[in-house]
């Protein structure tokens, strides 16, 4: 049997490997080019806050904390190691998705690895997990972690569902242009039952809230020009103003099937379209960017991200 130390070591090594891949110099098709969301206005660059907000919203859903769990915890001393692949839809024809290296076909692929551990403290029905997720065709990846507490579990012979709440966080890395953190809170209901005396199935359903926090780094609108050769090029650096947190909501359904030590989890989650509004002062945009009929007014940036669907398959081992 593989011990806890080896599980944690394997997770750490895999995370380091993902991080090392982000150091490669060449750009891949899904790498960010946020300079495309800025417009040169005289001697300065004005960033489109609405496009920045909407891009961060959809990218936040792509890199959001994985769910992939019924309400039941692993139990004290339990371990679970898994690898997964997910496909998330994006509004690839929207203007804000011009901010990636190459046009996208409407779907982004992510792969992840996770290790999860049942705990006794602070309560018996407690579970923690850590992992890493990589966005395909890019140098972007995220480190993730969660804690889960089962409010009710184990009553498998009664017509009562297990109920759990979970908090998680995802921190994206690999880009010098944006700092993206995604926190989540979800409520999950599930029911465990046996199949033919050989399998255990745990279908589940839940609701998830995402809190997406994007922060712009300094962006060079004209990276091909060296400011040492052209001093006025220094004015071509710009940042998007810090905005209010973006809030998205997801509905999730899935099932976890277990045979001996082996597990297969299938999940679909659906993120509702973005609608949150940034009310921070200094981040207003010209209403003409939203409605050409009102060119002299200022408007708050509204999240215009479309609804998104994510389909995930995970293979794992329970110990």
């Amino acid at each position: 049997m593989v011990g806890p130390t080896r599980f944690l070591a394997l997770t750490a090594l895999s995370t380091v490997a993902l991080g090392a891949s982000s150091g490669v110099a060449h750009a891949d098709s899904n790498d960010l080019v946020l300079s495309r969301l800025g417009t040169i206005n005289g001697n300065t660059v004005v960033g489109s806050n609405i496009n920045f907000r909407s891009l961060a919203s959809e990218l936040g859903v792509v890199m959001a904390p994985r769910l992939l769990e019924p309400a039941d915890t692993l139990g004290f001393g339990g371990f679970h190691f898994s690898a997964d692949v997910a496909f998330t839809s994006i509004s690839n024809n929207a203007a804000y998705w011009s901010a990636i290296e190459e046009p996208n076909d409407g779907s982004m692929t992510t792969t992840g690895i996770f290790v999860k551990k049942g705990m006794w403290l602070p309560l018996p029905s407690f579970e923690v997990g850590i992992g890493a997720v990589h966005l395909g065709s890019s140098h972007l990846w995220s480190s993730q972690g969660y804690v889960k507490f089962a409010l009710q579990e184990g009553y498998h012979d009664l017509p009562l569902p297990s109920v759990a709440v979970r908090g998680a966080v995802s921190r994206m890395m690999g880009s010098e242009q944006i700092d993206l953190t995604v926190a989540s809170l979800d409520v999950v209901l599930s029911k465990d039952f046996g199949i033919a005396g050989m399998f255990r199935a745990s279908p589940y359903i839940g609701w998830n809230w995402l809190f997406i926090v994007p922060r712009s780094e300094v962006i060079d609108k004209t990276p091909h020009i060296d400011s040492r050769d052209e001093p006025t090029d220094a004015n071509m650096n710009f940042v998007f103003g810090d905005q209010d947190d973006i809030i998205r909501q997801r509905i999730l359904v899935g099932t976890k099937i277990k045979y001996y030590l082996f597990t297969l989890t299938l999940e679909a989650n659906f993120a509702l379209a973005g609608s949150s509004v940034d009310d921070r002062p200094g981040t207003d945009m010209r209403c003409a960017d939203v409605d050409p009929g009102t060119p002299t007014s200022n408007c708050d940036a509204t999240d215009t991200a479309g609804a998104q669907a994510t389909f995930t398959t995970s293979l794992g081992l329970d110990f």
Side-chain angles (χ1 to χ4, degrees), residues 40-224:
I40 297 177
N41 185 6
N43 294 324
T44 61
V45 179
V46 179
S48 172
N49 289 321
I50 189 171
N51 282 335
F52 178 72
R53 186 172 186 83
S54 302
L55 174 71
S57 178
E58 290 203 10
L59 183 60
V61 170
V62 173
M63 304 299 288
R66 293 290 210 249
L67 303 172
L68 297 172
E69 283 289 329
D72 287 306
T73 62
L74 295 170
F76 172 63
F79 265 96
H80 181 76
F81 180 80
S82 64
D84 61 63
V85 59
F87 305 92
T88 303
S89 64
I90 63 170
S91 304
N92 59 306
N93 292 321
Y96 45 85
W97 277 113
S98 66
I100 56 175
E101 281 286 347
E102 299 177 11
N104 184 280
D105 62 2
S107 177
M108 287 189 162
T109 303
T110 52
T111 53
I113 54 169
F114 290 87
V115 62
K116 304 164 186 176
K117 176 73 171 67
M119 306 287 288
W120 177 260
L121 295 176
L123 294 168
S125 300
F126 193 74
E127 181 180 303
V128 299
I130 58 172
V133 170
H134 178 256
L135 174 62
S137 300
S138 82
H139 297 118
L140 302 178
W141 63 283
S142 68
S143 56
Q144 301 192 359
Y146 78 89
V147 294
K148 181 174 75 173
F149 172 57
L151 303 175
Q152 173 177 284
E153 66 175 346
Y155 295 95
H156 299 151
D157 295 329
L158 298 175
L160 298 173
S162 297
V163 182
V165 294
R166 190 182 69 159
V169 65
S170 171
R171 177 78 171 178
M172 194 181 78
M173 306 175 194
S175 173
E176 298 179 349
Q177 302 179 21
I178 185 174
D179 197 22
L180 187 66
T181 302
V182 185
S184 78
L185 177 67
D186 52 80
V187 178
V188 181
L189 285 75
S190 68
K191 185 62 179 175
D192 184 275
F193 59 89
I195 302 176
M198 298 177 61
F199 300 91
R200 299 295 300 180
S202 299
Y204 59 91
I205 186 171
W207 189 275
N208 174 243
W209 291 265
L210 294 179
F211 305 89
I212 303 168
V213 186
R215 294 293 179 263
S216 170
E217 302 294 344
V218 177
I219 300 166
D220 187 356
K221 177 63 176 177
T222 54
H224 56 286

